[in-house]
Amino acid sequence: MKLLQERATMDKYRILGITSCLSSSFCSISPHFIESVKRNPSLSMIIVLNDQWNQYCNQTQERIESNIKFVCLSNQFMIQSFSNKLCGVWGCSEKEKKSVQATLSVRLNETKKELEEFKVFYPTIFEDYLEWPSFRFSHWIAMDSNSIIGDLGRWIPWMDVRRHDLVGFKSTLNPMHLSVSSSFTILKLDSKMNVLWHRIEGFQGPIEFSEERTSGAFSGGLIKALITQYKERTWVLYDKNPFVLTEELYKRMEWKVGYSKKSNGILVVPQQYNSGLMEKLHSKLDYPDYSKTTSNQIEVGFTFRCAKTEDTQASFRICIENSKEFRTKEVNEGMKIWREKAFGPIFLVGIPNLTLFQVKVGSKVIGYHKYPVFQYK
């Protein structure tokens, strides 16, 4: 019944995606990304760019093309506007505001990894651009512009979105270490969730922002703040991300992007499969059933004494304390962790791996990971 309700919802529900290319020295917008966004009827996308990127920016500050709004801003405007927005939350003195502006001036031209942490600020610094003709959004999605995005309408767990303030997908392979993927996390748009970053270490005030390096603030800091401070907020975290295939992974794994006449959409499959086999692999529409489980539900506690994780600072690490009670036994198992009531307990349960599929082709059974798949009738 839940699955049928989700299917009925997916064609009328819309969600707001936000991504950016703020640096004037590098930009990683993939043509596959633009194409895949345009083929998503459930998605409206805002792309905020440094106005130096002439291929996307012309004389106008804002323009809408299909379901994408391009917002082009000068370096000087971004520094002034972003500092005003952030200091509006922090309550900066004039001296602190100048310090924030100096930090922004440096960070807007740093590496992509440093700019990734700006995602926690998106609802605040891009507040003036969130409105969309004819639509109002309850949630937004953080996205990477170098990704190929799958069919969101058929893959987003809409029932979870309506019930929770955050729906995330784990970014680490360590099953006991909690973090969210910075390329696809769904957050509620409201006054408190929009400034959740205010509780993340390194972002509590203008001094911390100007002095501290915050690699891992989005991936680890968000979920830590929800568990330890915003206990009135509800959230759900899955440990597999079935929505996004990054351009880097696409090239490394030699996946093929093809166009299907039969389904009038984009198919992404391993390079070694021919076009006929591509059709067969994706001949059936799949609606992931997020309600399936593979183990008994247990209540979990947390610890900050985690094993070192490469991309996350120690201050953002949080791990499941009673991990010995739960172990994934096979490659086709994953997990779901959630808080469904304000100030309520946090539970964990095993679920099927959402990206792993098997298809019989002749006498042979082919197993593969299903990344983005578009199949519109």
Side-chain angles (χ1 to χ4, degrees):
M1 187 63 185
K2 286 183 180 179
L3 197 54
L4 291 174
Q5 288 175 321
E6 283 200 29
R7 293 182 192 185
T9 300
M10 68 185 183
D11 291 326
K12 60 185 179 182
Y13 201 98
R14 290 183 72 88
I15 205 157
L16 180 67
I18 308 177
T19 192
S20 67
C21 193
L22 304 179
S23 171
S24 61
S25 57
F26 65 88
C27 188
S28 57
I29 295 181
S30 161
H32 289 311
F33 172 76
I34 298 292
E35 184 69 23
S36 63
V37 169
K38 288 181 178 179
R39 289 174 178 268
N40 260 287
S42 301
L43 178 67
S44 293
M45 172 66 67
I46 294 174
I47 304 177
V48 183
L49 298 136
N50 189 298
D51 66 2
Q52 296 298 304
W53 299 104
N54 296 327
Q55 67 267 48
Y56 303 107
C57 297
N58 48 33
Q59 300 302 313
T60 58
Q61 188 184 62
E62 292 183 43
R63 67 182 174 88
I64 293 179
E65 182 181 309
S66 183
N67 58 338
I68 301 175
K69 180 194 286 188
F70 293 93
V71 179
C72 297
L73 308 174
S74 69
N75 229 53
Q76 186 177 358
F77 181 88
M78 283 191 282
I79 291 168
Q80 189 65 42
S81 175
F82 295 176
S83 62
N84 286 341
K85 297 291 186 184
L86 296 176
C87 283
V89 177
W90 285 324
C92 306
S93 66
E94 197 57 39
K95 183 180 178 181
E96 289 171 334
K97 188 173 183 179
K98 286 181 180 178
S99 177
V100 170
Q101 290 175 345
T103 302
L104 286 169
S105 180
V106 173
R107 293 197 182 181
L108 285 173
N109 283 292
E110 287 190 285
T111 65
K112 183 178 183 295
K113 190 174 180 64
E114 287 295 333
L115 285 173
E116 287 238 332
E117 306 313 332
F118 273 54
K119 287 178 182 175
V120 296
F121 295 143
Y122 279 178
T124 301
I125 61 177
F126 300 151
E127 179 185 14
D128 298 335
Y129 313 108
L130 299 183
E131 290 189 5
W132 199 275
S134 306
F135 295 107
R136 290 179 65 86
F137 302 99
S138 63
H139 291 74
W140 70 281
I141 308 175
M143 289 190 170
D144 283 340
S145 58
N146 66 339
S147 301
I148 304 167
I149 303 167
D151 187 346
L152 303 188
R154 300 188 186 280
W155 279 79
I156 285 179
W158 294 113
M159 301 296 284
D160 284 330
V161 171
R162 292 200 297 274
R163 289 197 302 259
H164 297 89
D165 299 309
L166 179 146
V167 179
F169 296 84
K170 275 164 56 59
S171 63
T172 173
L173 295 176
N174 181 343
M176 299 308 144
H177 177 241
L178 300 192
S179 63
V180 292
S181 169
S182 63
S183 63
F184 204 102
T185 296
I186 304 170
L187 296 110
K188 193 168 188 177
L189 275 170
D190 71 24
S191 57
K192 286 190 176 180
M193 285 297 290
N194 291 355
V195 293
L196 178 64
W197 53 266
H198 192 212
R199 299 291 185 90
I200 295 175
E201 293 175 53
F203 293 146
Q204 303 101 319
I207 295 174
E208 293 86 349
F209 176 66
S210 298
E211 292 181 352
E212 296 185 27
R213 312 309 285 168
T214 52
S215 177
F218 187 97
S219 59
L222 271 178
I223 200 69
K224 183 178 177 181
L226 284 169
I227 290 172
T228 61
Q229 298 185 67
Y230 280 85
K231 296 182 180 181
E232 75 277 16
R233 291 293 181 165
T234 59
W235 51 272
V236 58
L237 185 63
Y238 294 94
D239 75 336
K240 303 294 179 184
N241 188 346
F243 303 105
V244 175
L245 175 67
T246 65
E247 189 84 351
E248 179 185 358
L249 186 63
Y250 158 64
K251 288 176 180 176
R252 189 169 75 239
M253 295 183 68
E254 297 185 340
W255 288 66
K256 182 176 180 181
V257 178
Y259 293 84
S260 162
K261 292 180 181 178
K262 182 178 178 182
S263 58
N264 191 29
I266 298 176
L267 306 177
V268 183
V269 296
Q271 189 82 1
Q272 66 266 31
Y273 297 153
N274 61 38
S275 58
L277 190 50
M278 284 172 64
E279 288 285 351
K280 187 144 191 173
L281 285 172
H282 297 295
S283 60
K284 181 183 176 183
L285 293 175
D286 292 289
Y287 300 83
D289 186 353
Y290 290 90
S291 65
K292 283 186 178 179
T293 61
T294 59
S295 70
N296 293 326
Q297 173 180 308
I298 63 169
E299 185 175 340
V300 294
F302 298 95
T303 179
F304 303 104
R305 295 182 179 181
C306 306
K308 187 175 180 181
T309 304
E310 266 182 41
D311 60 346
T312 307
Q313 289 181 188
S315 58
F316 300 133
R317 292 186 198 129
I318 187 166
C319 292
I320 298 172
E321 192 173 50
N322 49 335
S323 59
K324 290 182 180 179
E325 295 179 41
F326 180 86
R327 283 283 185 272
T328 52
K329 299 174 184 176
E330 300 175 8
V331 69
N332 65 345
E333 281 189 301
M335 67 167 72
K336 172 184 175 181
I337 309 160
W338 74 99
R339 175 190 279 138
E340 61 185 359
K341 295 180 180 178
F343 302 101
I346 297 172
F347 295 104
L348 179 152
V349 71
I351 59 170
N353 185 330
L354 298 170
T355 66
L356 193 66
F357 290 83
Q358 289 187 330
V359 175
K360 189 172 183 180
V361 180
S363 60
K364 189 177 180 182
V365 175
I366 298 176
Y368 70 103
H369 286 275
K370 192 163 190 173
Y371 281 96
V373 180
F374 294 80
Q375 295 194 339
Y376 303 147
K377 291 184 178 179

